[in-house]
Amino acid sequence: MKVAILAGGLGSRLAEETELKPKPMVEIGDEPILWHIMRHYAHHGFDEFVIALGYKGHVIKRYFLDRCSMAGDLAIDLGRGEFSSSDHDRPDWTVQLIETGQETQTGGRIKRLQPHLGGETFMLTWGDGVSDVDLGRLLEFHRAHGKLCTMTAARPPARFGHLEIDGDRIAEFSEKPQTGEGWINGAFFVCEPQVLDYIDGDATQWEREPLEQLAKDGELMAYRHESFWQCMDTLRDKQLLESLWDSGAAPWKTWTTS
C-alpha cells in the first residue's frame, strides 16, 4: 500500500528554520521530521512512499540521494568513476519524489500524485506531524466501515494549564492535559482512490471542499486516537519535539533500531 506524504508547503511560521529548507527537512534529533514519519509507517509495514514536493523540493531530493549513496563506508574506483556503499542498515523502502508545483494547494498536490498511487487504497499524511497512532488498527477500522475516507481524529496538545474554578477558588489544576481538548483533524488518513474525484485541481485545499463534501456524503469516518499526537507548526513545537526526543522517551518512536 502506498503512503502519500505532502511535503511541499512553505512552513512560514517556522521561518527561522525554513528559509533554506522545507519544513519536512527540519531536524528532530539530527534527522528530518519527514524521516521520523517514514520510520513510523515502515515500522507498521508500510514502506512504499510517494512524496509530494513543492517549496525547495530539491533539498528533499538531495537528502535521499545523499542518504542512499553516502551512508556507511564507501568504496570508490576513481578510474571508472564508480562507487559502492557498505551501509547494512539502509532501509528497504521505495521512495518516489514527485514535483507538484510551488503554489499548489494540499488537494491539488494529492491529485497530482494520482498516477503514482496505483488506483488502490492509499494512506495519506502531512510531512510535519508525528504520532504513536497504530497504523495497522487504523487500516482495519477503515476496511471495516467501507467508506471512502478515514481521518485520524486527535486530541490537540493544550498550550496552557487547565483550571477548574469554583467562585474565586481554583478547584482543580492540571498542566496541559491533552485529553481535555476536543477532537481535531490529526491527518493520518486512509483513502480509497475515489476520493481523488472530490478534488478539482491545483487550487483545491483538501481540508475545505473535498473533506466537507465527503462528510456531507457520509463517506468520511473518524478513527479516534486518544494517545500522543503533535504537529510542528512553530519553533515552540519544534523545541517540544526536540526535548521529547532528547529525553530518550519520544512517544512516536515506535521502532527499535537506531
Side-chain angles (χ1 to χ4, degrees):
M1 180 176 294
K2 299 292 180 68
V3 179
I5 303 178
L6 302 193
L10 292 175
S12 56
R13 286 184 287 179
L14 266 173
E16 301 93 336
E17 294 278 347
T18 57
E19 183 177 353
L20 298 177
K21 57 189 172 186
K23 184 159 65 165
M25 285 291 99
V26 174
E27 293 183 350
I28 304 297
D30 298 325
E31 291 286 6
I33 191 170
L34 177 61
W35 186 256
H36 291 256
I37 296 166
M38 296 170 75
R39 289 297 299 266
H40 179 206
Y41 274 97
H43 172 72
H44 287 275
F46 306 102
D47 56 11
E48 296 182 59
F49 300 98
V50 184
I51 301 177
L53 305 180
Y55 173 71
K56 296 191 181 297
H58 66 279
V59 177
I60 299 178
K61 289 180 178 178
R62 174 54 59 188
Y63 170 79
F64 282 103
L65 286 172
D66 287 349
R67 190 169 197 109
C68 180
S69 63
M70 299 184 68
D73 298 331
L74 293 179
I76 304 172
D77 186 324
L78 294 177
R80 297 186 180 185
E82 298 174 350
F83 69 91
S84 61
S85 170
S86 62
D87 180 15
H88 302 296
D89 295 325
R90 185 183 301 162
D92 187 19
W93 305 346
T94 62
V95 182
Q96 297 181 71
L97 302 169
I98 310 301
E99 293 287 355
T100 59
Q102 290 285 325
E103 306 298 328
T104 308
Q105 298 298 312
T106 50
R109 294 193 192 282
I110 298 167
K111 186 85 167 183
R112 288 203 186 196
L113 296 183
Q114 186 169 8
H116 309 280
L117 296 175
E120 300 176 348
T121 306
F122 64 95
M123 291 193 164
L124 168 69
T125 196
W126 308 161
D128 63 355
V130 289
S131 175
D132 62 355
V133 61
D134 187 323
L135 298 169
R137 289 188 177 182
L138 169 63
L139 180 57
E140 289 176 6
F141 174 83
H142 175 80
R143 286 175 168 162
H145 63 61
K147 302 298 185 180
L148 294 183
C149 185
T150 298
M151 172 198 294
T152 296
R155 300 283 197 180
R159 292 191 60 192
F160 306 102
H162 175 73
L163 303 179
E164 291 289 343
I165 300 177
D166 180 8
D168 293 329
R169 182 179 69 87
I170 296 177
E172 179 184 338
F173 173 79
S174 53
E175 177 63 12
K176 303 177 182 177
Q178 183 164 350
T179 57
E181 301 296 301
W183 296 100
I184 63 167
N185 172 11
F188 295 98
F189 295 91
V190 184
C191 304
E192 297 302 317
Q194 294 91 329
V195 302
L196 299 168
D197 297 334
Y198 284 76
I199 302 172
D200 288 335
D202 284 356
T204 304
Q205 296 182 35
W206 172 247
E207 303 86 345
R208 298 295 299 275
E209 293 88 351
L211 287 183
E212 290 171 1
Q213 192 60 51
L214 282 163
K216 289 178 182 178
D217 292 348
E219 294 290 345
L220 181 61
M221 302 293 283
Y223 177 79
R224 291 179 178 86
H225 176 63
E226 297 273 6
S227 189
F228 178 81
W229 177 92
Q230 177 67 54
C231 64
M232 188 182 66
D233 280 339
T234 66
L235 187 59
R236 178 181 176 277
D237 295 333
K238 178 188 183 299
Q239 292 167 345
L240 170 62
L241 292 173
E242 281 278 353
S243 66
L244 289 171
W245 185 263
D246 291 344
S247 75
W252 70 92
K253 188 180 183 298
T254 54
W255 58 93
T256 55
T257 56
S258 60

